[in-house]
Amino acid sequence: MSAYKVSALLLAVLAVPAVASESSAIAGVNLATSMSGTAQAEFDQFGVTLEEDFDSNAFSVFLGYQTERNNRFKVSYESRSFALDKSNVTEDASGFRFDWDFVYGEEKVHPFWSIGFGFYTLEDPAILTGSNLEGDDLSGVSFQMAGGVKIDLADNLEASIAFERQAIGWQEIEISYYDETINMTYVHNSLNAGLLMRF
């Protein structure tokens, strides 16, 4: 199939109208566990890149708004852990995320996709151990995309299951001892499950 046909098919799918519904405030919770995850650190002066795998779990609560077209805008507070395999340490991060869910169909089970970004703080990261910055926190910006299904359990209650890919770019690290600059990113694929209530 040509790239033009693929693009046309994608546009056709995205153009399908979501089911009409009443607009409402929403709130809920979400749990996530990673299927794979990689931490990458690039050392500018040394010219090397280090990688290691990690497992990640997260819990979040959110508030938001559901439009008449059944799409949603959500603001979440998330707490997330990263268990680094080689370093044998677990790091904790927390932050706010902003996500848009685009929901399709008129059946009880609705396919959806979402896109969003977030702002996180990584507490006492392992990469700073033994440096002049040990004990400091790092701030980061995330970008995430997801796809899955939402299932109507009742008029005001909904469950969701989704596959999500998220990348977090952490602030640039400057190690004065070695005149070194480090750029670090965490990327993971996660399985998410959530509950949503309408008000």
Side-chain angles (χ1 to χ4, degrees):
M1 184 180 292
S2 70
Y4 295 107
K5 290 181 180 179
V6 172
S7 299
L9 179 61
L10 180 60
L11 289 174
V13 170
L14 296 180
V16 175
V19 59
S21 62
E22 294 183 1
S23 60
S24 62
I26 56 175
V29 297
N30 194 71
L31 294 172
T33 185
S34 66
M35 303 170 64
S36 63
T38 302
Q40 184 180 85
E42 297 181 359
F43 293 74
D44 289 347
Q45 295 297 326
F46 293 157
V48 298
T49 298
L50 302 180
E51 291 187 355
E52 69 174 294
D53 295 334
F54 63 76
D55 294 320
S56 182
N57 294 293
F59 172 78
S60 63
V61 295
F62 64 83
L63 296 173
Y65 178 76
Q66 176 176 307
T67 71
E68 292 181 355
R69 292 178 58 81
N70 203 23
N71 298 322
R72 298 91 189 272
F73 171 69
K74 300 182 298 186
V75 178
S76 308
Y77 177 77
E78 182 174 83
S79 177
R80 179 173 288 276
S81 65
F82 301 98
L84 301 170
D85 289 348
K86 294 179 182 178
S87 303
N88 196 30
V89 298
T90 298
E91 300 174 333
D92 294 318
S94 59
F96 289 93
R97 6 181 327 163
F98 305 85
D99 297 282
W100 291 262
D101 295 349
F102 300 91
V103 186
Y104 300 89
E106 300 182 3
E107 303 300 325
K108 183 176 181 179
V109 179
H110 310 281
F112 80 98
W113 68 278
S114 69
I115 190 170
F117 64 93
F119 301 96
Y120 288 84
T121 298
L122 184 64
E123 300 174 7
D124 195 17
I127 198 168
L128 301 182
T129 301
S131 75
N132 58 299
L133 300 176
E134 183 173 357
D136 287 358
D137 297 337
L138 294 178
S139 60
V141 177
S142 74
F143 175 77
Q144 57 265 353
M145 294 187 69
V149 294
K150 295 182 182 293
I151 305 165
D152 291 331
L153 303 179
D155 289 342
N156 66 338
L157 184 64
E158 172 187 275
S160 65
I161 301 174
F163 173 81
E164 178 181 87
R165 183 172 177 84
Q166 183 186 56
I168 306 176
W170 302 106
Q171 71 184 79
E172 190 174 77
I173 305 168
E174 296 184 356
I175 306 297
S176 61
Y177 294 165
Y178 309 106
D179 192 25
E180 178 62 85
T181 300
I182 306 172
N183 294 290
M184 189 169 68
T185 58
Y186 287 5
V187 179
H188 62 88
N189 301 307
S190 294
L191 183 64
N192 296 4
L195 284 175
L196 175 150
M197 291 191 65
R198 304 179 183 90
F199 298 94

